[in-house]
Amino acid sequence: MDLRLTEQQEMTRNMARELAAKEIAPIAAEIDETGRFPKEVIQKMADAGLFGILTPPPFGGAGGDRLDYLLTVEEIAVASASVALSFETSVGVAFLVLAFGSDEQKKKYLPALAKGEKLGSLATTEPGGGANWPMTLRTRAVPDGDQYVVNGSKCFVSNTGQADICVVLVSTDISKGPMGISALIIERDTPGFSFGTLEDKFGLRGDPTGELIFEDCRVPKENLLGQEGDATKITGAFGALSCPAHCAIATGIARAALEASIRHTKERVVLAPLPLAN
Ligand SMILES: Cc1cc2nc3c(=O)[nH]c(=O)nc-3n(C[C@H](O)[C@H](O)[C@H](O)COP(=O)(O)OP(=O)(O)OC[C@H]3O[C@@H](n4cnc5c(N)ncnc54)[C@H](O)[C@@H]3O)c2cc1C
C-alpha cells in the first residue's frame, strides 16, 4: 500500500499550512483568551476556498476527497483547534446537504456553504441528553399543513450565533422513538428561532458553543433533510466524517506541542553557551 500523498494532496496541505501559519497562528492565543469568534480569519479561509473542499465544482466547491479535508483540518488545528472545530462543523453540514439533500436544498444551500459565505451547524445535544440522544431527545416538530412547528432547545452547539444553516434533530413522531427522529434545516432568521447562552469553556473558546431555542418555530416541510426518521443515518454519516476530523484536530494539537517543545530546546539556554538541544 502506498501511503504517500499525491502531488495534489501535498499542494492542499501546504496551502492550508501556509494560511494557518500566516493568518491563524498569530491570533490563536487571543481568540481563546477572549472567546472571540475570528470572523476575519474565517473570511480568509473562505477566500482560499477551504469551505468548499468536499463540495463538487457544480455547487461551487473544489471537489476534494476526505483526505484533502482531513489534511486541511489538521493544518488548521496546528494553529488553532477552535478554528479547526468551527471549520469542520461547517464543512460537515455541507457534506450532509450533499449526501442527503434534495436537488433544491443542494442548489439553495451548497454554494453559500462552499464559499464560506454562510456557516453551518449541527444540533443534536439537548440539556437532558448527550451521548444517549436517540433515547432522550425532546425537541418536537409537529406537522401543520406544509410546515413543521418546532419547540425545544439544543445545547453545546458549535458555531452558535455564527451559523446561518442549522441542521437540527427533532422528533417528528414520538411514538416511533429513535426511528421517529428527523433532521430539519432551520435557517438562522426563521421566526421562533433564537440563541441562548454561550458556554464559558475551558478550551476551544474561539468556537462559540451554545444554546439554540425553538419556540413555535415554523419550518417548511421542504426543509426536511432526507426522509422522516433518517436522523440516525444522517448523524452516522456526519460522525464518519467528524470523528476522523476530531482525530485530525488532536493530531494537529499534538504536532503543535511537539514543534513548540523542539523549538524551545533549541532556544533555551540554561548552561551557557549551549542550548538544551545540544
Ligand atoms: C467543544 C464542544 C463542541 C460541541 N459541539 C456540538 C455540536 O456542534 N452539536 C451538538 O449537538 N453537540 C455538540 N457538543 C456536545 C457533545 O456532542 C456532547 O458533549 C456529547 O454528545 C456527550 O454528551 P454529554 O456531554 O451530555 O455527556 P454524557 O452523555 O453525559 O456522557 C458523559 C460520559 O458518560 C458516558 N455515558 C453516557 N451514557 C452512558 C451509558 N448509558 N452507559 C455508560 N456510559 C455512558 C459517555 O460515553 C461519556 O463518557 C459539543 C461539545 C463540546 C464540548
Side-chain angles (χ1 to χ4, degrees):
M1 195 196 311
D2 187 355
L3 293 176
R4 281 172 303 183
L5 298 180
T6 63
E7 205 175 313
Q8 177 60 42
Q9 287 159 349
E10 291 271 11
M11 274 170 57
T12 303
R13 185 177 67 174
N14 291 342
M15 193 264 274
R17 183 174 291 178
E18 277 167 32
L19 187 143
K22 183 165 171 244
E23 308 290 353
I24 306 175
I27 59 152
E30 179 258 314
I31 62 173
D32 268 274
E33 272 164 28
T34 59
R36 178 176 76 81
F37 184 74
K39 280 190 178 163
E40 75 284 12
V41 154
I42 297 293
Q43 185 58 52
K44 288 193 171 129
M45 291 163 65
D47 293 344
L50 295 186
F51 284 92
I53 194 155
L54 283 178
T55 303
F59 296 109
D65 63 17
R66 284 174 188 236
L67 188 52
D68 292 313
Y69 165 65
L70 294 173
L71 290 167
T72 304
V73 172
E74 181 184 322
E75 292 305 328
I76 295 167
V78 169
S80 166
S82 293
V83 176
L85 182 59
S86 287
F87 171 72
E88 69 99 354
T89 301
S90 197
V91 175
V93 167
F95 167 75
L96 290 185
V97 175
L98 182 67
F100 296 96
S102 63
D103 288 346
E104 289 70 28
Q105 288 168 348
K106 287 179 195 170
K107 273 188 228 141
K108 184 171 181 189
Y109 297 115
L110 279 180
L113 284 167
K115 289 192 192 112
E117 291 165 358
K118 293 190 173 175
L119 294 181
S121 67
L122 174 71
T124 304
T125 311
E126 298 188 351
N132 58 346
W133 63 264
M135 307 308 295
T136 57
L137 191 130
R138 287 181 198 280
T139 300
R140 300 273 177 269
V142 178
D144 183 23
D146 57 359
Q147 297 176 322
Y148 291 104
V149 182
V150 180
N151 279 286
S153 69
K154 300 285 174 181
C155 62
F156 299 154
V157 177
S158 294
N159 288 341
T160 287
Q162 301 298 332
D164 296 284
I165 299 163
C166 306
V167 173
V168 182
L169 297 203
V170 294
S171 175
T172 43
D173 186 346
I174 192 170
S175 69
K176 291 187 180 160
M179 302 317 291
I181 302 177
S182 311
L184 291 181
I185 301 173
I186 306 187
E187 295 178 31
R188 177 199 176 98
D189 53 6
T190 310
F193 175 16
S194 60
F195 303 112
T197 49
L198 290 179
E199 298 298 328
D200 187 16
K201 305 194 298 294
F202 282 128
L204 298 171
R205 289 166 53 82
D207 167 56
T209 310
E211 266 183 310
L212 311 187
I213 299 163
F214 303 97
E215 293 165 305
D216 290 332
C217 177
R218 290 186 165 271
V219 180
K221 280 194 174 162
E222 66 200 24
N223 283 26
L224 179 70
L225 189 60
Q227 305 298 314
E228 284 194 358
D230 271 356
T232 45
K233 205 159 80 180
I234 289 171
T235 51
F238 188 85
L241 191 67
S242 71
C243 292
H246 293 162
C247 295
I249 291 177
T251 307
I253 294 170
R255 234 182 73 202
L258 179 64
E259 286 166 10
S261 307
I262 293 171
R263 218 167 31 245
H264 180 72
T265 61
K266 288 183 176 165
E267 289 163 3
R268 173 85 171 130
V269 178
V270 277
L271 219 55
L274 296 177
L276 284 176
N278 289 60

